[in-house]
Amino acid sequence: MTGHHATHHPPQRVGVVAESIPGETRVAATPATVRPLLGLGYEVVVESGAGTASGFADDAYAEAGAGIGEAWAADVVLKVNPPSDEEIALLREGAALVALISPAQRPELLEALAARNVTVLALDAVPRISRAQSMDVLSSMANIAGYRAVIEAAHAFGRFFTGQVTAAGKVPPAKVLVAGAGVAGLAAIGAASSLGAVVRATDPRPEVADQVRSLGGEYLAVDASQEASTDGYARATSADYDRAAAELYHAQARDVDVVITTALIPGRPAPRLLTAADVAAMRPGSVVVDMAAAQGGNVEGTVAGRTVVTDNGVTLIGYTDLASRLPAQASQLFGTNLVNLLTLATPGKDGRFAVDFDDVVQRAVTVVREGAVTWPPPPVAVSAAPAAPEPAASTAAPVPARKSGLTPAARFGLIGLGMAAMFLLIAFAPAQLAESLTVFALAVVIGYYVIGKVHHSLHTPLMSVTNAISGIVVIGALLQLGHESALVTVLSFVAILLTSVNIFGGFAVTRRMLSMFSRGESR
C-alpha cells in the first residue's frame, strides 16, 4: 500500500460508506466531490443510501460517475465517524480507512484497527500548519457548528437579536458572550454580530483579540498571565487565570442574554467555565449553548445531546451534532477536505493510494500503518506562537552580524556620482528639460521615502490611492488638446481617457478595500 507500485496496476477503488451512528446525517463524499476523486484515477463506489440523510440520492452519485454497491470491500474506505467493531470486521486486510478516529482518546480503537492489518488516516489529527488547512476537517466542522450554535440559541431565545425602534416601542439588542475564540467561536461571533446582537468574547490567547474585533465583537481580556499557544490550540490555563476568568464569567452571566461556550483542550476533558451559581445568576429566558458537551461540557448542568431548562428558566443546550444539523453543507466541506487529503496521498494521480511518511502532514494523520500503530506522531513545528522577545543583552562581547548590502561609504559614493551625473545632464540640457528633470528627481526621492516607511499591510490601499493621485498627469494632456498637430491632439485625448480610468479606478478600489474593514458597510 505504501511502497512503490507499477504503473500498469489497475486503479484502486474508493468506497463511501453509510454512517451507522443514530442521528448522523453527514456523508464522507457528495456527488460534487466524487468527480475530483475520479479525476485522481480512482474508481468510486457509494453504499446505497449513504447520502440520503444529507439530501444526496443514489442517482446523483451515479450521475457523477460513482457506482452504487458494496463500499466496505474497497481499497480506500471513506467515513465520517469512527468505525464500530462490526464495521472494522468489514474492512478487508490491507485496506486504508480515512475517518475521524479520536486517536488520543481511543487507544483501544487503534489496537482493534491494527489487528485488522489496515492503514488508518485520522482526519482529526491534521496538524495546524498552513499547508494542511485545506484538509482540516475539525476546522470545517467547527465553523459550521459555531454558526449553528447561534441559530439554535436564537431559536430558544425567542426574541430579537437585533435592536429595533418601532412605533410599538424600543427593543434592545441581545447581548451574547462567546467563550473561546477558536474557529467555532469566531464563526459564532460573526453569526451573532450579523444578526445584530452585542457580542463579547473572551479567550486565553490574547493574539485572537484583533480577530474578535474584526468580526464586530468586543474582546474581554482576563487580567492574568497565560502561557502563549504554540500549536494554534488553546492550552490548559493557569490557576491565576482560572480565578480571574471565573470572576469575569460570573459578572457577564448576570448581564448577557446568551452564552456560547466553545472551550476544548485537545486530549483532555472540557474545562469548566460556568458553574451552577453562574447559571443561577442568569435572567429567566436566557440561553446557554455548550458546544463542548460531548467532552464533558463547559457548563455545569449541561446534558450531552439534550436541552435542559433550569429552575430559574435558563435553557441549557448540549447538542453534540451541531454540524450534522446542516448536513448538505457539512458533507460538502467534509468531502472537500477528504479530496485534498487524497490528492496529497495520490502523488501520481493514477488511482494508487500511497502514504508518504516523509511528508509531515501524511505522517501526522497516519495513526495505523499496515497493522502497526504509529500514533502519536513526532511533533510538527508550527508558527502559531508569537515571536519570542529578544534576549537580554549578554555580558559577553557581541559577535558582529554580517550585513548584506552596501557600506555607508559606498552608499554615499553612489549618491555623489548620481548627483554629479544629474548636474551634468541639467547643465547641457535645454532649460525646459532641466526643469522637468529636477521635478522628476525630487518626486522620485520623496516618493521613495514616503512609500518606504509604510507598513506592508497598507501597501495595497496606499498604492491604489497614489495610482489615482498620479493621474495629475491628465493636466498635461489637457494643456496639449489645442495643439496644432492632429497627432498630438489624438494622443492627448487617449492620455486623458486612460488617466481618467486610472483616477476613478484607483479611488474605487481603495473604497472597496476599506469597506471590507468597516463594520457598518455589511450590517
Side-chain angles (χ1 to χ4, degrees):
M1 183 75 74
T2 58
H4 297 287
H5 55 267
T7 55
H8 64 273
H9 284 175
Q12 293 182 324
R13 179 173 293 182
V14 170
V16 181
V17 299
E19 300 300 316
S20 58
I21 294 180
E24 179 58 77
T25 59
R26 293 171 295 178
V27 63
T30 68
T33 65
V34 162
R35 295 183 181 92
L37 290 175
L38 294 171
L40 291 173
Y42 292 107
E43 294 179 7
V44 180
V45 58
V46 180
E47 187 175 345
S48 181
T52 302
S54 297
F56 304 115
D58 290 348
D59 291 345
Y61 286 104
E63 187 177 340
I68 307 299
E70 176 52 54
W72 282 102
D75 302 289
V76 182
V77 175
L78 305 185
K79 198 177 184 310
V80 176
N81 295 295
S84 63
D85 292 339
E86 294 77 13
E87 289 172 333
I88 293 175
L90 297 176
L91 290 168
R92 70 169 187 80
E93 186 174 342
L97 172 68
V98 186
L100 295 170
I101 300 295
S102 301
Q105 288 81 27
R106 304 186 65 177
E108 74 286 351
L109 176 61
L110 297 185
E111 293 296 337
L113 288 165
R116 191 64 183 162
N117 194 24
V118 295
T119 296
V120 182
L121 273 60
L123 295 170
D124 37 8
V126 173
R128 280 212 162 172
I129 58 176
S130 298
R131 191 165 65 86
Q133 285 181 349
S134 64
M135 312 161 208
D136 193 348
V137 168
L138 292 182
S139 292
S140 298
M141 297 301 101
N143 181 38
I144 294 176
Y147 172 85
R148 184 68 191 199
V150 174
I151 302 304
E152 296 291 344
H155 174 69
F157 186 52
R159 283 174 274 166
F160 284 135
F161 262 36
T162 185
Q164 291 192 358
V165 178
T166 68
K170 181 180 179 181
V171 179
K175 297 176 183 176
V176 178
L177 173 67
V178 179
V183 175
L186 292 173
I189 292 167
S193 296
S194 66
L195 289 175
V198 175
V199 184
R200 304 162 185 168
T202 183
D203 193 282
R205 298 162 293 184
E207 60 265 26
V208 304
D210 289 338
Q211 294 174 295
V212 170
R213 297 186 188 104
S214 70
L215 291 169
E218 176 191 359
Y219 179 72
L220 303 179
V222 176
D223 189 16
S225 61
Q226 169 63 17
E227 188 177 354
S229 170
T230 58
D231 57 1
Y233 293 99
R235 303 173 67 92
T237 51
S238 63
D240 288 342
Y241 183 92
D242 291 342
R243 193 161 37 248
E247 296 175 1
L248 173 67
Y249 287 127
H250 188 73
Q252 290 296 318
R254 301 170 66 92
D255 185 46
V256 300
D257 302 296
V258 175
V259 178
I260 299 174
T261 64
T262 70
L264 283 174
I265 301 171
R268 298 184 58 175
R272 184 57 49 85
L273 303 182
L274 293 184
T275 64
D278 297 328
V279 176
M282 298 182 73
R283 291 189 293 266
S286 300
V287 180
V288 176
V289 182
D290 190 346
M291 295 185 63
Q295 281 77 37
N298 298 139
V299 183
E300 189 174 354
T302 300
V303 178
R306 289 180 52 196
T307 295
V308 179
V309 180
T310 64
D311 294 338
N312 62 319
V314 177
T315 302
L316 303 180
I317 299 175
Y319 296 151
T320 58
D321 60 346
L322 289 169
S324 297
R325 290 171 180 255
L326 293 171
Q329 198 158 26
S331 299
Q332 180 60 43
L333 294 182
F334 195 100
T336 301
N337 292 141
L338 275 173
V339 167
N340 293 330
L341 181 58
L342 285 183
T343 300
L344 190 64
T346 316
K349 296 185 179 181
D350 52 359
R352 307 296 300 176
F353 184 83
V355 175
D356 180 9
F357 257 40
D358 293 330
D359 179 78
V360 292
V361 176
Q362 297 181 60
R363 174 64 188 90
V365 299
T366 305
V367 295
V368 178
R369 186 189 193 194
E370 296 178 352
V373 176
T374 56
W375 173 266
V380 178
V382 297
S383 57
E390 292 185 4
S394 173
T395 55
V399 179
R402 293 185 59 186
K403 292 186 178 181
S404 59
L406 300 172
T407 63
R411 189 179 299 111
F412 284 119
L414 286 176
I415 292 175
L417 286 175
M419 292 175 65
M422 191 74 180
F423 175 79
L424 290 173
L425 185 61
I426 292 175
F428 294 101
Q432 189 174 3
L433 179 60
E435 290 182 13
S436 301
L437 284 173
T438 304
V439 172
F440 175 73
L442 290 174
V444 168
V445 173
I446 294 172
Y448 172 79
Y449 281 101
V450 169
I451 303 298
K453 302 299 181 183
V454 174
H455 192 274
H456 292 294
S457 61
L458 296 176
H459 272 180
T460 304
L462 177 70
M463 288 303 179
S464 59
V465 171
T466 53
N467 217 18
I469 295 174
S470 69
I472 194 70
V473 299
V474 74
I475 296 176
L478 287 170
L479 294 175
Q480 297 298 323
L481 273 179
H483 199 277
E484 57 188 16
S485 171
L487 178 61
V488 173
T489 301
V490 170
L491 291 176
S492 300
F493 175 77
V494 173
I496 292 171
L497 179 64
L498 295 178
T499 310
S500 298
V501 172
N502 200 32
I503 293 171
F504 294 112
F507 282 117
V509 169
T510 302
R511 181 176 178 81
R512 291 190 63 178
M513 283 189 293
L514 293 178
S515 69
M516 293 167 58
F517 299 94
S518 64
R519 300 180 188 172
E521 288 282 330
S522 59
R523 295 189 176 88

